[in-house]
Amino acid sequence: TVVILQKQPPFRTNEGLVFGTIYKITYQHQEDLHNDIKAALMEVDNALSTYNKNSIISRINHNQDTLLNEHFTHVFELAQKISTETEGAFDITVAPLVNAWGFGFKHSIDVDPQAIDSLSQFIGYQKIKLEGNRIVKEDPRTMLDCSSIAKGYGVDAVGKYLETKGINDYMVEIGGEIRCRGCNPNGIRWRIGITN
């Protein structure tokens, strides 16, 4: 009996920037799939990234008439469902507060109770809705921020893409959001550590 050992494909690591943060993707495959991975990430970025001035979410935030795509619609509907289930504890209309506290693009302002009250009048997941293929706002000052859900969605999108290529061993990480499957380059299950 002759045993033929088939050489395993190499592990590859692709890195770059998306959603205003760093991504690192390690997977086992014969080919370097970085261009396809970047394309998958850009589809999500073009829908949900507030760091992308031409994204769907940025156009909605600037009250431009915008047709939605499948990525945006899926995440929006999921966010609204979670908002309802948590009675507003999760809410993607918090962009004005995110910016006021300096988590977005702008430096923080002096956030006092009056400033919060002023911003709160146009925050609330009930103040936006999906009608057909468009977002309708009760108040044009309402702005969306999907940062709490978009990176995880992007991680899943890349993981699903890798699985369509028959890849069973991978780790996708975008700004701390992680999805793993199978084994690492040492042939053992992925181990994820949390520093702090």
Side-chain angles (χ1 to χ4, degrees), residues 3-45:
V3 177
I4 299 173
L5 297 176
Q6 187 175 0
K7 187 178 177 187
Q8 291 293 313
F11 272 86
R12 300 178 182 278
T13 298
N14 299 144
E15 299 178 66
L17 296 173
V18 72
F19 313 141
T21 192
I22 298 167
Y23 69 83
K24 183 175 180 180
I25 301 161
T26 301
Y27 56 95
Q28 187 177 31
H29 197 266
Q30 204 60 47
E31 299 173 51
D32 184 342
L33 302 173
H34 198 197
N35 285 336
D36 290 343
I37 289 168
K38 285 191 284 191
L41 287 169
M42 285 314 300
E43 281 185 28
V44 178
D45 187 87

Side-chain angles (χ1 to χ4, degrees), residues 141-159:
R141 296 172 295 177
T142 298
M143 295 176 67
L144 309 180
D145 185 332
C146 289
S147 298
S148 58
I149 197 169
K151 286 188 296 181
Y153 179 80
V155 164
D156 286 342
V158 173

Side-chain angles (χ1 to χ4, degrees), residues 67-86:
L67 287 175
L68 311 179
N69 68 12
E70 184 180 336
H71 294 298
F72 182 90
T73 302
H74 176 78
V75 169
F76 180 82
E77 289 176 338
L78 180 60
Q80 291 296 83
K81 180 177 184 278
I82 296 167
S83 293
T84 301
E85 289 174 357
T86 63

Side-chain angles (χ1 to χ4, degrees), residues 19-175:
F19 313 141
T21 192
I22 298 167
Y23 69 83
K24 183 175 180 180
I25 301 161
T26 301
Y27 56 95
Q28 187 177 31
H29 197 266
Q30 204 60 47
E31 299 173 51
D32 184 342
L33 302 173
H34 198 197
N35 285 336
D36 290 343
I37 289 168
K38 285 191 284 191
L41 287 169
M42 285 314 300
E43 281 185 28
V44 178
D45 187 87
N46 287 333
L48 298 166
S49 178
T50 54
Y51 294 90
N52 177 342
K53 292 180 181 179
N54 296 312
S55 69
I56 291 171
I57 196 169
S58 292
R59 293 196 308 260
I60 289 168
N61 285 344
H62 290 97
N63 298 312
Q64 297 171 357
D65 189 31
T66 304
L67 287 175
L68 311 179
N69 68 12
E70 184 180 336
H71 294 298
F72 182 90
T73 302
H74 176 78
V75 169
F76 180 82
E77 289 176 338
L78 180 60
Q80 291 296 83
K81 180 177 184 278
I82 296 167
S83 293
T84 301
E85 289 174 357
T86 63
E87 297 178 358
F90 179 88
D91 190 337
I92 62 171
T93 68
V94 295
L97 286 174
V98 168
N99 291 331
W101 276 310
F103 294 115
F105 304 105
K106 302 173 185 173
H107 297 292
S108 64
I109 60 174
D110 187 16
V111 183
D112 58 26
Q114 289 176 328
I116 291 171
D117 287 345
S118 175
L119 293 172
S120 294
Q121 64 184 315
F122 43 91
I123 292 172
Y125 70 97
Q126 311 93 329
K127 297 179 181 184
I128 54 171
K129 60 185 172 183
L130 181 63
E131 283 187 2
N133 199 24
R134 287 186 163 73
I135 293 293
V136 177
K137 303 180 192 179
E138 284 182 12
D139 189 314
R141 296 172 295 177
T142 298
M143 295 176 67
L144 309 180
D145 185 332
C146 289
S147 298
S148 58
I149 197 169
K151 286 188 296 181
Y153 179 80
V155 164
D156 286 342
V158 173
K160 289 174 184 174
Y161 163 73
L162 294 174
E163 289 171 19
T164 67
K165 300 298 280 184
I167 298 171
N168 294 313
D169 300 306
Y170 67 80
M171 182 183 77
V172 179
E173 187 260 333
I174 303 175

